[in-house]
Amino acid sequence: MSTDHVDALVIFGATGDLAKLETFPALVGLVERGVLNVPVVGVAKSGWGLDQFRDYATASLQLNKIDPASPAATTMLGLLRYVDGDLDDPATYQAMSDAMGQAQQALFYLEVPPPLFGRIAEGISTAGRATGSRVMVEKPFGTDLASAQQLNATMQAYFPEDAIYRVDHWLGLDPVDSLMFVRFANSVIEPLLNRNYVQSIQITMAEAFDVADRGSFYDKTGAIRDVVQNHLLQVLATVLAEPPDGTGLDSWRASKSQLIGALRPLTPELAVKGQYDGYLQVAGVDPKSVTETYVAIRLMADSWRWADVPILIRAGKCLPVTATDVTITFRRPPHDAFGLGDQAPINRLRFRVNPEDQVSLSLVGKKPGAGWLPEPEELNFTEHPGQDMRPYDRLIGAALNGERWLFASQDTVEAAWRVVEPVLGDMVPVHPYARGTWGPDQAASLLPAGEAWHAPHSPSVRPVTSGVPARRG
């Protein structure tokens, strides 16, 4: 479906932080690429008029080092409309409808907390604007399985499932797309990604920063809800899912949903939780909190391709670096022809997902000279910096175009909650760990015999700091 079928973009919560940090710069990118040329209606309750709304958008562009006087920025600012009103007032939705003018099929982007989704969807429907339109909603999609199911039922009372675009901004990261591309564009890699050749899979999402001023939010969330149920299970599915079929990328979303559905639900003995020293003193955190700032889990997929392959995921704050890596460890050769023993280097395929795009494959050669001494070498592919489009540029553009493969389906969201729900809350004890370490020592108990956790390594990874990163987590 092309952008001709979407003739307005309506943003609820258009004066919030997400709009300031991500949305307005992304809209400039969409204009530059010729994807956005329809009215953009902002809806919020700020007591503003259109001029103040444009000033806010201009300040956002300056914050993101975009010249507001550039042709694309000037065009974007000219597309803006603004409606100020209470989301509980039907008049707000009528004013929204009036601002849309002759538009018939809009993309509604809900940059608001999930408890407001139902009220907004009802208001859009009552104003006669739901039919034929699309709706983008931000995570979290619930806080557990039951709330996710209720949220889906609420949205589907007003929009069909194929009109709902659930945003996980990690799916807009170019390195995640690159991971999929490397898998399926190289005939020497994809045939090896199965239980016959792969010994184990690890994903590490390390954040060197603490929760900063987000204590109240984070203490109700924790690492599992914040990054594992969504970001990291999506990355895992990108590594493990079956290839797209002849119908193209539309089948990719179904493949990932099937893979996540094949993951066994966790049990408490397959999870280790940690909490960095000093977390209980953070403003907004319960002094008796058992919320995890670190989690490690061990998963198994009940599928023909991946049966019995251990899958390890860990994520945490106040770790030594800020980086996300996927490490695929291959089995040793079936026969030790050169007497190298257990000290022989092992082949590994590594993907850097954040902060930059990098792929490396470790191979083993013979060290020059007498004897049979191994010499490991790494083949590296690194994307040139500064060439990626913004995640929200990619995601909003895909929703405008009706490309659903970059968004999470209802089945995927609910399957992911089924995987993690058994270890939510206080089902697993929380172990303290020092800032700047790799988390509690107990996480090693999840590893297969003879394996260690693989720490992200790169000259560009960021060292330990306090505060939040530039890129949203």
Side-chain angles (χ1 to χ4, degrees):
M1 192 176 291
S2 70
T3 51
D4 293 340
H5 293 86
V6 172
D7 44 17
L9 171 60
V10 180
I11 303 172
F12 287 87
T15 61
D17 285 345
L18 179 58
K20 177 174 67 176
L21 295 173
E22 301 285 358
T23 308
F24 293 117
L27 297 183
V28 173
L30 290 167
V31 170
E32 285 178 332
R33 293 193 292 118
V35 176
L36 180 67
N37 59 358
V38 299
V40 178
V41 182
V43 182
K45 187 181 181 182
S46 298
W48 292 357
L50 177 58
D51 288 343
Q52 287 168 294
F53 183 53
R54 283 193 176 134
D55 288 344
Y56 186 75
T58 299
S60 164
L61 301 185
Q62 292 169 332
L63 176 69
N64 285 275
K65 297 180 172 53
I66 296 175
D67 181 4
S70 68
T74 301
T75 299
M76 188 278 289
L77 294 170
L79 294 173
L80 296 181
R81 312 285 185 268
Y82 184 69
V83 172
D84 197 85
D86 192 317
L87 294 179
D88 286 327
D89 186 352
T92 299
Y93 300 93
Q94 185 56 53
M96 172 207 74
S97 182
D98 293 343
M100 291 169 59
Q102 299 300 311
Q104 296 299 313
Q105 292 182 303
L107 171 62
F108 296 98
Y109 187 4
L110 277 50
E111 297 186 11
V112 297
L116 297 175
F117 289 176
R119 178 66 191 93
I120 293 174
E122 179 188 10
I124 293 169
S125 178
T126 302
R129 291 294 193 168
T131 302
S133 294
R134 303 169 190 155
V135 59
M136 279 178 71
V137 294
E138 283 282 333
K139 81 171 186 77
F141 313 120
T143 57
D144 54 22
L145 178 58
S147 59
Q149 290 172 328
Q150 179 58 51
L151 189 59
N152 284 326
T154 298
M155 293 301 297
Q156 289 171 8
Y158 305 101
F159 292 91
E161 170 63 17
D162 63 4
I164 301 173
Y165 293 69
R166 298 172 186 84
V167 176
D168 181 336
H169 76 271
W170 270 52
L171 295 179
L173 296 178
D174 197 56
V176 178
D177 285 352
S178 178
L179 196 163
M180 177 183 69
F181 193 88
V182 169
R183 273 193 66 186
F184 303 133
N186 293 283
S187 63
V188 297
I189 291 178
E190 173 56 21
L192 302 180
L193 298 184
N194 58 65
R195 67 188 305 271
N196 296 324
Y197 297 100
V198 173
Q199 177 176 301
S200 67
I201 295 166
Q202 287 189 24
I203 300 177
T204 292
M205 179 181 178
E207 295 176 321
F209 47 88
D210 54 29
V211 300
D213 60 356
R214 300 168 70 231
S216 180
F217 158 77
Y218 196 88
D219 206 41
K220 299 179 182 68
T221 307
I224 296 174
R225 289 185 172 96
D226 193 34
V227 298
V228 175
Q229 183 272 340
N230 38 71
H231 301 333
L232 297 185
L233 288 188
Q234 286 284 355
V235 171
L236 177 65
T238 304
V239 176
L240 304 188
E242 293 299 319
D245 62 23
T247 61
L249 290 177
D250 286 343
S251 69
W252 177 235
R253 196 165 79 143
S255 291
K256 292 197 297 180
S257 179
Q258 185 177 32
L259 184 282
I260 293 177
L263 296 174
R264 295 179 195 170
L266 287 165
T267 56
E269 64 271 16
L270 295 176
V272 171
K273 293 183 179 181
Q275 194 179 83
Y276 67 78
D277 293 341
Y279 174 75
L280 296 179
Q281 285 71 56
V282 174
V285 171
D286 184 339
K288 298 181 180 179
S289 174
V290 293
T291 297
E292 77 282 358
T293 63
Y294 171 100
V295 66
I297 58 176
R298 177 167 170 160
L299 295 165
M300 298 291 278
D302 289 327
S303 72
W304 190 275
R305 180 191 284 250
W306 294 110
D308 302 323
V309 176
I311 301 163
L312 291 305
I313 296 177
R314 62 175 173 169
K317 294 188 179 295
C318 292
L319 302 187
V321 298
T322 296
T324 300
D325 270 9
V326 178
T327 302
I328 299 169
T329 299
F330 292 96
R331 297 183 184 278
R332 294 182 182 278
H335 173 59
D336 185 5
F338 305 106
L340 301 179
D342 292 340
Q343 302 307 309
I346 295 178
N347 302 124
R348 289 190 175 94
L349 177 63
R350 300 182 71 150
F351 296 91
R352 167 61 48 79
V353 177
N354 189 33
E356 76 278 333
D357 187 353
Q358 187 179 74
V359 182
S360 66
L361 176 63
S362 65
L363 299 175
V364 183
K366 178 184 176 298
K367 189 173 184 178
W372 300 105
L373 296 177
E375 186 170 54
E377 292 286 350
E378 292 234 346
L379 303 180
N380 291 292
F381 171 84
T382 303
E383 184 178 84
H384 300 297
Q387 304 212 349
D388 182 22
M389 72 173 72
R390 293 172 179 270
Y392 280 85
D393 182 335
R394 182 176 282 108
L395 291 166
I396 297 173
L400 289 169
N401 283 329
E403 298 168 1
R404 303 177 66 227
W405 67 274
L406 276 174
F407 300 88
S409 69
Q410 173 185 354
D411 290 346
T412 300
V413 169
E414 294 182 5
W417 279 120
R418 288 188 185 94
V419 172
V420 303
E421 190 164 55
V423 296
L424 294 177
D426 59 0
M427 296 299 295
V428 177
V430 175
H431 304 281
Y433 64 95
R435 296 171 66 113
T437 68
W438 283 105
D441 293 339
Q442 289 83 351
S445 67
L446 302 176
L447 293 164
E451 287 205 31
W453 287 104
H454 304 298
H457 64 277
S458 167
S460 61
V461 295
R462 296 187 287 274
V464 177
T465 60
S466 177
V468 295
R471 175 171 271 171
R472 295 176 68 249

